[in-house]
């Protein structure tokens, strides 16, 4: 794959990436005002983002503010540590779905998986799939903790077998978040799933050039990346994408 950094190519990347963006705010200090700002930002001059991703308590607010916008509402459970408590996952998902969440991002119990407790990790995913119902289920693998391609592949295959609709790289809360290498493994597993499975790249994608590299990779492995099969999970990326479209220099965010 060759890189095309021309102005027109970067503008096309920015438009595509905005459509595939899960605009995210998962900060400890988030409040209603911060989430209202997030919702306003989600409908951009270049079109709406794919989703907003927020703490469960903000799902009703997002549903209200984004009604009719085309932006879906995503929330996280078992986040960010990926504990292996099945009942906790159930008790987090049920109210989120009742409040109108369209998408659930659940953290795989990666520590359980790494220590050989595969059945315990799988039980959490099975519960998440059952409780999520018709909503979209994204499984966060925390690839920065799994580290090796073989461990990442094992986790991705487990998630697909449990019914995941998307494989997500990271929580954005550990030292190593998304990498092209990890994304390649997830895209390979998704391509071999025998049913539609998307990939969400989260954490550390902050520039239009970085987004372009992931889009090229996704296009090459799974066909053209679009919101139904590919997402970026990010907070600061949107500013960079809009700057690209406006022909302005981008300030790189230190955020998610």
């Amino acid at each position: 794959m060759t890189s095309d950094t021309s102005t027109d190519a970067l503008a096309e990347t920015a438009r595509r990436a905005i459509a595939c963006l899960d605009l995210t705010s998962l900060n400890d200090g988030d409040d209603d005002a911060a989430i209202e700002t997030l919702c306003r930002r989600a409908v951009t001059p270049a079109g709406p983002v794919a989703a907003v991703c927020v703490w469960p308590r903000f799902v009703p607010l997002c549903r209200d503010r984004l009604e009719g916008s085309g932006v879906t509402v995503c929330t996280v459970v078992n986040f960010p540590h990926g504990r292996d408590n099945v009942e906790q996952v159930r008790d987090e998902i049920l109210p989120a779905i009742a409040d109108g969440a369209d998408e659930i991002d659940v953290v795989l119990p990666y520590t359980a998986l790494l220590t050989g407790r595969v059945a315990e990790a799988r039980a959490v995913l099975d519960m998440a799939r059952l409780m999520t119902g018709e909503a979209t289920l994204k499984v966060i693998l925390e690839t920065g903790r799994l580290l090796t391609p073989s461990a990442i592949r094992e986790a991705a295959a487990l998630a697909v077998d449990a019914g995941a609709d998307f494989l997500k790289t990271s929580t954005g809360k550990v030292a190593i978040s998304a990498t092209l290498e990890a994304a390649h493994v997830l895209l390979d597993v998704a391509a071999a799933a025998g049913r539609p499975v998307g990939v969400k790249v989260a954490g550390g994608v902050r520039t239009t050039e970085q987004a372009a590299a992931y889009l090229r990779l996704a296009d090459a492995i799974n066909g053209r990346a679009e919101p139904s099969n590919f997402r970026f999970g990010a907070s600061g990326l949107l500013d960079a994408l809009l700057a690209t479209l406006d022909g302005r220099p981008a300030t790189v965010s230190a955020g998610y």
Side-chain angles (χ1 to χ4, degrees), residues 89-91 93-94 97 104 126-135:
V89 170
R90 178 198 62 205
D91 292 345
I93 292 177
L94 280 176
I97 293 296
I104 299 291
D126 287 341
M127 178 61 75
R129 179 70 276 174
L130 179 64
M131 294 297 101
T132 300
E134 295 300 314

Side-chain angles (χ1 to χ4, degrees), residues 177-199:
S177 290
T179 66
L180 284 167
E181 293 76 15
H184 199 307
V185 175
L186 301 196
L187 287 161
D188 281 344
V189 172
R195 61 179 176 84
V197 175
V199 170

Side-chain angles (χ1 to χ4, degrees), residues 158-195:
L158 184 70
V160 168
D161 192 55
D165 298 306
F166 269 78
L167 304 171
K168 179 178 173 182
T169 58
S170 322
T171 62
K173 301 294 186 180
V174 299
I176 302 173
S177 290
T179 66
L180 284 167
E181 293 76 15
H184 199 307
V185 175
L186 301 196
L187 287 161
D188 281 344
V189 172
R195 61 179 176 84

Side-chain angles (χ1 to χ4, degrees), residues 172-250:
K173 301 294 186 180
V174 299
I176 302 173
S177 290
T179 66
L180 284 167
E181 293 76 15
H184 199 307
V185 175
L186 301 196
L187 287 161
D188 281 344
V189 172
R195 61 179 176 84
V197 175
V199 170
K200 179 174 173 179
V201 174
V205 184
R206 300 188 178 98
T207 70
T208 303
E209 290 80 4
Q210 288 172 332
Y214 283 104
L215 287 172
R216 287 194 299 271
L217 182 65
D219 288 348
I221 296 173
N222 277 4
R224 184 173 174 82
E226 51 191 27
S228 63
N229 61 27
F230 189 81
R231 301 282 185 87
F232 292 104
S235 55
L237 178 60
L238 180 59
D239 289 334
L241 300 174
L242 293 174
T244 295
L245 290 175
D246 291 343
R248 297 181 285 107

Side-chain angles (χ1 to χ4, degrees), residues 17-241:
I18 287 171
C20 292
L21 181 61
D22 285 6
L23 187 61
T24 301
S25 189
L26 295 169
N27 303 308
D28 292 339
D30 283 345
D31 56 16
D32 285 0
I35 301 307
E36 293 210 20
T37 298
L38 186 82
C39 290
R40 288 193 295 271
R41 294 182 68 223
V43 183
T44 83
V49 302
V52 294
C53 186
V54 297
W55 293 112
R57 65 183 180 275
F58 296 118
V59 167
L61 175 61
C62 291
R63 292 289 301 181
D64 179 69
R65 298 299 186 269
L66 292 168
E67 184 177 4
S69 68
V71 179
T72 59
V73 178
C74 173
T75 194
V76 293
V77 300
N78 205 24
F79 188 93
H81 303 296
R83 297 186 176 91
D84 54 14
N85 187 317
V86 174
E87 289 74 21
Q88 177 184 334
V89 170
R90 178 198 62 205
D91 292 345
E92 290 180 12
I93 292 177
L94 280 176
I97 293 296
D99 284 340
D102 302 296
E103 303 178 354
I104 299 291
D105 285 15
V106 61
V107 183
L108 169 75
Y110 53 88
T111 300
L113 187 64
L114 288 171
T115 54
R117 293 179 288 124
V118 179
E120 294 175 33
R122 174 61 187 262
V124 167
L125 299 188
D126 287 341
M127 178 61 75
R129 179 70 276 174
L130 179 64
M131 294 297 101
T132 300
E134 295 300 314
T136 297
L137 178 64
K138 306 194 197 85
V139 176
I140 307 171
L141 305 180
E142 203 66 286
T143 54
R145 289 286 175 87
L146 299 174
L147 294 176
T148 68
S150 61
I152 293 170
R153 189 173 298 276
E154 178 187 1
L158 184 70
V160 168
D161 192 55
D165 298 306
F166 269 78
L167 304 171
K168 179 178 173 182
T169 58
S170 322
T171 62
K173 301 294 186 180
V174 299
I176 302 173
S177 290
T179 66
L180 284 167
E181 293 76 15
H184 199 307
V185 175
L186 301 196
L187 287 161
D188 281 344
V189 172
R195 61 179 176 84
V197 175
V199 170
K200 179 174 173 179
V201 174
V205 184
R206 300 188 178 98
T207 70
T208 303
E209 290 80 4
Q210 288 172 332
Y214 283 104
L215 287 172
R216 287 194 299 271
L217 182 65
D219 288 348
I221 296 173
N222 277 4
R224 184 173 174 82
E226 51 191 27
S228 63
N229 61 27
F230 189 81
R231 301 282 185 87
F232 292 104
S235 55
L237 178 60
L238 180 59
D239 289 334
L241 300 174

